[in-house]
Amino acid sequence: MDNISGLEPGAKVRWAMATEADVEVRGKVAVLSRDGRTLQMEISGVVDLDDWSVSDLGVPAAELDKPNPGSIMLTFTAVAPSDGKLDLRVRLTPETADPVPDDTWWAGFESRMLDTIVVAAP
């Protein structure tokens, strides 16, 4: 959940998440699938917002962007109400039971996150 205040009425706020999973969008619900596991993501909250949008990160959006083949960006945009406060909620619900990932999975994840942070640094 993200609580944002002090926004100009009508300001647009974009929520985004990158993933390597396959994504099926069903309005305000997105189902992520990978390696036989699924995760349902649902947008909620009392705000004016769009449905999920998906863009391919393998094709850079701008000249300075680095391609990230096999990844997509999952986003939605919300509009600030007259009081300038937004409560954005994304509920994540696993649809399949799966054991906790082993150490090799986490090592790979940490490496990818470090690469992302280093690339994004000025």
Side-chain angles (χ1 to χ4, degrees), residues 31-43:
V31 179
L32 284 65
S33 304
R34 183 163 180 187
D35 300 330
R37 297 176 288 183
T38 57
L39 177 73
Q40 179 174 298
M41 297 177 62
E42 182 177 5
I43 305 169

Side-chain angles (χ1 to χ4, degrees), residues 49-104:
L49 50 84
D50 296 336
D51 292 343
W52 289 111
S53 175
V54 178
S55 56
D56 181 4
L57 293 177
V59 179
E63 185 178 332
L64 296 176
D65 291 342
K66 182 179 176 182
N68 193 351
S71 295
I72 60 103
M73 182 71 69
L74 189 59
T75 64
F76 67 87
T77 303
V79 178
S82 60
D83 67 1
K85 296 179 182 178
L86 276 178
D87 292 321
L88 305 176
R89 297 181 189 135
V90 178
R91 180 185 307 254
L92 293 94
T93 308
E95 293 185 339
T96 52
D98 195 38
V100 174
D102 63 20
D103 290 341
T104 59

Side-chain angles (χ1 to χ4, degrees), residues 8 10 13 15 19 24 26 33 54-55 71 90 97 105 111 115:
E8 292 289 326
V13 175
W15 187 99
T19 181
E24 179 186 347
R26 304 173 189 157
S33 304
V54 178
S55 56
S71 295
V90 178
W105 186 92
S111 173
D115 289 346

